[in-house]
Structures are given as C-alpha cells and as structure tokens.
Amino acid sequence: MDIPLNQVMNPTNEQRHEMIRNSLETAGRPEDYDYIVPLLSPPPDIANYALPGELKGVKIGVIGGGLSGLSAAFELRKLGADITILEANDSRIGGRVYTYYYDQEGRYYNEFGAQRIPVTHETTWHYINSFGLNTHPLSLRRRNNFLYVHNTRLRTSDSIEQMLYPLYDLTPQERNTPWAELDDYAFLYMMMQLPPNIRSELIQILPKYSPEYLPFTNYSIRQTLENLGLSQGAISLISGVDPGTGALFDTSYGETVQEEYTMDYRNTYTIEGGMVNLPYAFIKSFFTDKSPQYQDILSSQLGTVTYLSGHTVTGIYQQQNSDQIVLAHRNVRTLSKTNDVFDYVICAIPFSTLREVEIKPLFSNPKMQSILEFNYTNSQKTSFLCKERFWEQDADYGRMVGGFSQTDLPIQYIFYPSDHILCPDVSSCSPNEPGVLVASYNYHLNATRVGNMEETLRFDLIKQNVEEVHGLPRGFLDSIVEDHKTVVWDNQPYNRGAFAMALPGQKELFSYEMLKPELNQRIYFAGEHISTKHGWMQGALYTGMEAANQLANSFHRRLM
C-alpha cells in the first residue's frame, strides 16, 4: 500500500513542495505557491554580502540564545567574526523551543514551546536538512478526535450542524449554511477576494501596504467577523469550535488569516527525539569546522562562537566618540556584573524583556514605542505522563492516535502523542504502554486564569476537564497520571509571553520600524516578533539570518 505523502518520514524538498501544491490546488489557489515558497525561503546566503574571513577580528555580541540568536551566530561565523552569545537562561537552551523529558532515556517528553513544523516553512526545513535531523509526520490518515462544546461531546466526524447549531442563536441563513462553508466565509472569503500579489502581503513586512490589504491588519478578528455580517451567535459558535482563534478575538484578523494563507496546520512534522535537537545542532556546530554549511570555508576563515549561559543583559550603551556598543550583563547565579565592548550587536530577545534593559542613547522613537506597545500573548501548557494511553484504547473514550481535541472548557486543547501514528499494527504500539498527553494548551486569558491557579487546584481542574471531554467518570485519571508539569509563558522570567501577536494596527504602525537597525547601524534585531510568522520557528530563524546579512552588508559597505 502506498504511503500518503504527508505520512512520509524525512520528506525531501520535492515531496514537501508537492504537498504544498496539492493543498493549494485543493483550496482553489494554486497560484499562491509562487509567492509562499519564495517568501518563506531562507534569505540569500551571507556570502553574497561579505567574503569568508572578511570579519576576522570583528567582535559581535548576540543578545539571546534562542533560534534567532543561534542562526545569526551560525551565519556570521562563516565570515570569521568573534561572536559572543549572552543567554540569560542557565538551565536549558533553545529559548521558546522547550523540550521537557520525563525520563533520562528521553523516551517520554513534551514540547512546551514550538511543537509543529509546517511543510511550507522553508527556512526551518533549510536548517533541518543542513543538520541532517530526522522528522516524522503529525498528520493523521483519519482524524477521530473529540470536540466538546456547549456541554456537548462529538467526534470530529460528527455533524456540527445537527449537534451544535441548535444550541446557538443563529440567523436562518447561518443555520442553513454548512459548518465548513460558514468557517470558510469567516476566515477565507476576504482573502480570496484579493489578487494573489496582494494576498502575499499577509506574509510580508513593507513600508507601505496596499489599501485592499489594510482591513486585514487594522481590524480585530471580532470586528472583522461582525463586519462580515455574522451574528453574535455565529461568532460564539466559531469561538467554541475553534477555541484557539476564539481566545484571540481581540488580535489582528491578519494574524489568523496569514496562517490559513500558508496552510500552517496542514501537513505538519516534528523533530525526532524532541525539537530541542535543532538548537543543540546549532551549538554543536560552533565547536567544529565540519558542519555541511562550512565545508567550502577554510578553518582559518571561520570565526569563533562563545556561548555564555546564565548571563542576562542589563544595559545597551554606545560609547562616546565611538560607534562601538557596550553590553552590560549580569551573571544570574553570582550576580556579578560585566561590561563587554562589541563592534556590532544583534538583539535577539523578545521586546517583552528588552523593555527592562537600559538603553543609552535611546533607539529611535518608533522603535522605543514598539518595545513598549507590541503585544505578546500568554500561553499555558500542562502535560501528563500517563501510565497507559487511555485515548488509544478501544473504548468510547478512546480510539485516537495523534491529533488533538478541542473544547470551550478552560483547557482549550488536548494534544495526543504522535509517536504511534506510523505504527504498522497494534501489537507493535500498545495502548497499555506509557505516553505523554498534553492535557491543556491554551492562550491569552484562559492561559492566565488557568496558569495562575494554585498548583493543586490547577492540576485537579485540568484532570476534570480532560475527563469531561472524553466522557470519563470523575477521578478516572487519578490512577492514570504518574507525573505532570505546567509551563506558563507569561511567568517565564526570560520570555514574559509565549509569542508576539499583533493587535489591530500594530503591523502597519510598528513592523517595518522594528526591523530597522539602530545606533548608526551597529545594532540589528532578530526574533519571531519582527517576522510575519509570530510564534513559529520559521520567524525566528529567518530573522536571525536576515539580521546577519544586514550586518555583513553594512560592514562590507563601510570598507568600500
């Protein structure tokens, strides 16, 4: 039997591109392929801007050791620079890539940060392929998960029209519109009215946008749904069936539509053994000259990378009568303070934490205002290490392998582990073996409210919500859950937010300004917050590469 393309392990670029073409063809917009793939592809190689070894003796400071900082350092090393990464966290690597292992062997783990890689995210795949990392699919042959809304339990294969429509105050026209059409009208209709070149502005940062595009970025999701003529009953239904979107109704409509545009939730993959293997690969590459991307560069031309964990930057200063930048940083354990001087700096920390850093002289007024205002949303994840996989058992509460269930209860989403998706038969992947369940994944207000409950009460609430969604008796999970862990991203001291999420008007007002270098082109910026792919590894990696290119280009021009 032929394996479907989206079930293939380690897809080639050709296979990924075929998946993209097929999905866009099915969606009735094959022409978008010619925009999506180039716009999400990596920036040009840094050697187009400066020669290997050209930055020998140049000192570059990188603030933040997440994917954007790591990718910037990786690229700049090709030019011979001496790079120092200052990373505040001394207990793990990866920034908002956060793989937590329940056992020393690394068999049972959960992703508290980035957990999916869409086949459209070309820059992410560029590095996955460069480092030779293994991937496996998250896509299901047939989705059979639960939808629990308005105290009503149904499977994803059941009729939303029959089981949920009567529970909401819909207009006659809405009641006679199939769910798939109603949902498409809410999130695809406006996009499909745009010509392909204007649609592509969804994933571009430009100094000026087309008038036809501006309603996408300058109105919230709720405002747009109301402007489309949807009733409050239909909006409540959408919020219940799609709780992730419902939790973000006050954010820019374009934030949701751009993910639909690039099909971020179709044909997704994960990295074998944990997403943290990507930042590990970057760090390992800093100690060798044998990385595939360095193979055409002489060892003598490569730069050095020093990774200092547990060092939080407290000040950014430009020296008087000099363009050089001083970074003041503090050891988080000893509290000792150090000032280091750099020729250039790449700032790759969230604006949510940059806000507390002393900056003298100040950046431009628009940059400082974006640091103050740009919106980050909270997210909470709680995972359960279960001694058996009740969700895979042949019972009314089970028969699910992979995928996720949705609910209007506070937990929002339940994600099931994907490691059994490709099992050839039940005997090789028993539901009686342990597994890690993402028992709650929620955003914004739900994340804040659930995340800040007293720990015991939160644990009990999440267990009860999971039991309710699955139709399990109260207390069923008490003997099943062996361990658990919660991460609330607003409460992570070096992040203070899960990911950037523009409010209405913020993309047009701030995004282009956020990209600009500062202090006489000595400081450059990277991170998912200055990309069009907020919350995705794609955004972090692309901007890290782009910041490195901007720096290299500026340096080369100074020599001319």
Side-chain angles (χ1 to χ4, degrees):
M1 183 174 65
D2 291 337
I3 299 175
L5 263 181
N6 63 1
Q7 300 280 301
V8 172
M9 296 183 68
N10 301 318
T12 64
N13 289 339
E14 291 75 17
Q15 288 171 324
R16 286 193 302 104
H17 291 169
E18 185 175 349
M19 285 185 245
I20 298 169
R21 287 192 186 94
N22 290 343
S23 295
L24 289 171
E25 186 76 40
T26 300
R29 48 189 181 95
E31 63 278 5
D32 286 343
Y33 177 91
D34 293 329
Y35 294 92
I36 291 171
V37 171
L39 287 171
L40 296 185
S41 290
D45 188 83
I46 198 167
N48 289 279
Y49 303 95
L51 298 175
E54 189 172 325
L55 270 65
K56 276 290 182 181
V58 176
K59 292 183 64 178
I60 298 174
V62 176
I63 308 174
L67 287 183
S68 55
L70 293 173
S71 58
F74 182 87
E75 299 302 325
L76 287 165
R77 189 186 175 212
K78 298 177 182 177
L79 305 184
D82 296 322
I83 304 153
T84 300
I85 300 174
L86 298 169
E87 166 56 42
N89 200 323
D90 67 345
S91 61
R92 63 178 185 85
I93 67 166
R96 278 172 282 186
V97 174
Y98 186 175
T99 307
Y100 176 79
Y101 297 94
Y102 279 99
D103 61 315
Q104 291 185 346
E105 295 76 23
R107 184 176 180 185
Y108 302 112
Y109 60 89
N110 181 60
E111 304 293 353
F112 282 99
Q115 64 184 28
R116 291 180 290 252
I117 307 162
V119 293
T120 52
H121 286 196
E122 294 287 312
T123 306
T124 307
W125 286 98
H126 163 75
Y127 282 115
I128 287 172
N129 294 336
S130 294
F131 292 127
L133 299 176
N134 291 319
T135 61
H136 74 252
L138 296 176
S139 303
L140 307 178
R141 293 174 185 265
R142 175 178 171 270
R143 193 167 167 226
N144 187 39
N145 303 123
F146 284 115
L147 182 60
Y148 187 83
V149 180
H150 211 296
N151 290 336
T152 303
R153 181 180 306 104
L154 58 158
R155 297 278 187 168
T156 49
S157 55
D158 291 333
S159 171
I160 290 176
E161 297 87 347
Q162 292 179 13
M163 300 182 71
L164 295 183
Y165 275 27
L167 306 177
Y168 292 86
D169 186 17
L170 305 179
T171 67
Q173 181 179 0
E174 290 166 349
R175 200 171 297 282
N176 290 319
T177 302
W179 166 251
E181 292 182 21
L182 188 66
D183 192 47
D184 283 355
Y185 177 67
F187 298 108
L188 296 179
Y189 172 78
M190 283 181 56
M191 181 182 76
M192 293 301 289
Q193 306 311 301
L194 299 177
N197 63 315
I198 305 250
R199 282 203 292 265
S200 71
E201 293 184 18
L202 284 159
I203 54 170
Q204 293 188 68
I205 293 176
L206 302 170
K208 188 174 181 180
Y209 296 96
S210 304
E212 304 96 314
Y213 168 71
L214 289 178
F216 288 80
T217 186
N218 289 340
Y219 290 92
S220 70
I221 296 173
R222 175 175 284 281
Q223 288 172 323
T224 303
L225 298 184
E226 291 173 343
N227 291 341
L228 284 168
L230 292 172
S231 69
Q232 294 303 319
I235 293 172
S236 295
L237 172 66
I238 290 168
S239 177
V241 176
D242 185 0
T245 301
L248 300 171
F249 269 175
D250 58 343
T251 60
S252 168
Y253 180 68
E255 291 278 15
T256 292
V257 176
Q258 61 89 7
E259 292 184 326
E260 291 290 338
Y261 175 66
T262 55
M263 300 193 161
D264 290 347
Y265 298 99
R266 295 174 181 81
N267 304 324
T268 58
Y269 279 76
T270 190
I271 296 173
E272 285 283 349
M275 292 290 221
V276 75
N277 284 309
L278 180 53
Y280 270 135
F282 276 111
I283 290 176
K284 290 176 183 176
S285 77
F286 298 152
F287 304 102
T288 179
D289 56 6
K290 303 300 183 185
S291 177
Q293 287 197 339
Y294 297 155
Q295 62 185 0
D296 296 327
I297 303 173
L298 296 176
S299 297
S300 60
Q301 294 175 320
L302 285 174
T304 62
V305 180
T306 302
Y307 183 93
L308 296 180
S309 64
H311 286 256
T312 181
V313 172
T314 58
I316 302 173
Y317 313 105
Q318 189 163 44
Q319 292 184 316
Q320 289 185 345
N321 305 317
S322 171
D323 280 337
Q324 288 183 307
I325 304 296
V326 176
L327 295 183
H329 53 99
R330 182 180 63 242
N331 187 303
V332 300
R333 296 292 180 184
T334 67
L335 302 184
S336 60
K337 299 178 180 179
T338 306
N339 288 352
D340 284 326
V341 180
F342 297 97
D343 298 302
Y344 294 90
V345 166
I346 290 181
C347 182
I349 57 173
F351 279 8
S352 53
T353 57
L354 181 58
R355 171 66 175 147
E356 73 180 45
V357 177
E358 186 174 51
I359 302 169
K360 292 184 178 180
L362 290 175
F363 300 151
S364 66
N365 287 339
K367 183 68 63 62
M368 296 306 299
Q369 199 65 27
S370 66
I371 293 170
L372 171 67
E373 285 190 49
F374 205 74
N375 183 60
Y376 284 76
T377 192
N378 191 14
S379 175
Q380 179 272 153
K381 278 187 183 180
T382 294
S383 68
F384 291 168
L385 174 62
C386 300
K387 69 179 183 182
E388 61 186 50
R389 303 179 183 222
F390 64 90
W391 57 89
E392 293 183 7
Q393 293 171 353
D394 187 13
D396 289 343
Y397 54 76
R399 306 188 189 103
M400 292 177 290
V401 178
F404 57 91
S405 293
Q406 299 154 261
T407 179
D408 58 359
L409 295 175
I411 60 171
Q412 279 187 214
Y413 291 106
I414 303 168
F415 278 82
Y416 308 97
S418 61
D419 53 340
H420 284 185
I421 286 178
L422 299 181
C423 286
D425 52 63
V426 175
S427 62
S428 60
C429 293
S430 171
N432 298 321
E433 68 180 51
V436 178
L437 180 76
V438 178
S440 173
Y441 178 25
N442 52 24
Y443 308 141
H444 198 25
L445 295 179
N446 276 331
T448 299
R449 292 163 179 170
V450 173
N452 287 294
M453 294 176 68
E454 190 276 324
E455 184 176 358
T456 301
L457 296 177
R458 179 177 64 234
F459 182 40
D460 287 342
L461 173 73
I462 293 173
K463 281 192 296 182
Q464 291 169 15
N465 277 192
V466 172
E467 290 166 347
E468 188 75 16
V469 169
H470 288 83
L472 293 164
R474 187 66 55 86
F476 179 91
L477 292 179
D478 291 348
S479 62
I480 300 291
V481 180
E482 294 187 317
D483 198 359
H484 71 282
K485 181 176 175 63
T486 294
V487 170
V488 183
W489 281 97
D490 263 5
N491 300 345
Q492 293 293 297
Y494 309 123
N495 303 96
R496 315 224 192 105
F499 45 83
M501 184 66 66
L503 297 176
Q506 287 192 331
K507 181 179 180 181
E508 182 184 19
L509 186 61
F510 292 133
S511 290
Y512 190 74
E513 296 295 334
M514 289 162 68
L515 284 172
K516 291 181 178 179
E518 296 285 346
L519 304 186
N520 196 23
Q521 296 193 344
R522 292 290 174 155
I523 297 186
Y524 297 82
F525 296 85
E528 55 88 27
H529 53 290
I530 60 170
S531 77
T532 60
K533 281 298 170 189
H534 296 148
W536 296 94
M537 296 194 298
Q538 166 75 27
L541 293 166
Y542 184 95
T543 57
M545 296 183 76
E546 183 62 26
N549 285 354
Q550 289 179 359
L551 190 159
N553 189 43
S554 175
F555 178 85
H556 185 75
R557 287 178 178 273
R558 288 174 192 265
L559 296 180
M560 296 174 65

